[in-house]
Amino acid sequence: MVQSQGLQELTIGKLAAAGGVGVETIRFYQRKGLLATPKRLEGVRRYGGEDVRRLLFIKQAQAAGFTLEEIGQLLALDAGHNRSAARELAKKKLEQLDARIGELNRAREALRKLVSECAEDKTGPCPILASFGI
């Protein structure tokens, strides 16, 4: 769809569809400064390949765990081709993700233990409910 259309020929709806998001998401990204808001031509804003590229970049960066603020920083770096700064942001994000994964692994193990202790054939208060203060 996008490739067959010429430069600056996508409406906001087609841009949203190309990125797998809703129109309101496009507008939200525009308000956040992540996507440009083009001028109206004959009453309609037109978007092009660069807009699609940025939108897909935003989605991929979100999937990698970056916040919208961090994505804005990455987009600014992209314009300047600043590899070292982009690498540092990515390394910091990896450290944050590793810490979060550690937290989630500990939570999973604690919950596994509680599930095991709350076996159906046991009597008395449920350890799961007791651990949550119920």
Side-chain angles (χ1 to χ4, degrees):
M1 168 180 62
V2 174
Q3 301 220 354
S4 65
Q5 295 187 345
L7 197 58
Q8 297 300 113
E9 290 191 13
L10 296 175
T11 62
I12 192 169
K14 289 182 180 176
L15 174 64
V21 300
V23 169
E24 284 306 314
T25 300
I26 301 295
R27 291 185 179 122
F28 177 75
Y29 291 161
Q30 289 171 331
R31 287 190 301 274
K32 291 289 187 182
L34 299 174
L35 289 174
T37 304
K39 294 180 181 177
R40 293 182 185 270
L41 300 172
E42 299 178 5
V44 179
R45 299 185 196 281
R46 298 291 177 177
Y47 300 85
E50 179 61 19
D51 299 302
V52 173
R53 185 192 74 79
R54 282 180 74 96
L55 178 57
L56 295 176
F57 176 88
I58 293 166
K59 287 188 60 182
Q60 289 173 338
Q62 282 181 309
F66 287 95
T67 65
L68 292 180
E69 182 180 333
E70 292 166 334
I71 292 169
Q73 293 171 6
L74 288 170
L75 286 167
L77 293 173
D78 181 45
H81 304 290
N82 191 338
R83 286 180 175 218
S84 62
R87 185 175 50 255
E88 287 306 311
L89 274 173
K91 284 171 61 176
K92 181 180 173 186
K93 182 51 66 181
L94 276 173
E95 291 170 5
Q96 292 170 347
L97 288 172
D98 287 341
R100 182 70 178 131
I101 289 168
E103 292 170 9
L104 290 171
N105 282 331
R106 287 187 293 278
R108 180 180 59 208
E109 290 309 311
L111 190 55
R112 274 191 182 143
K113 182 180 176 193
L114 289 170
V115 166
S116 173
E117 292 174 1
C118 193
E120 286 184 42
D121 58 347
K122 293 188 179 181
T123 60
C126 174
I128 296 170
L129 299 177
S131 72
F132 296 144
I134 295 177

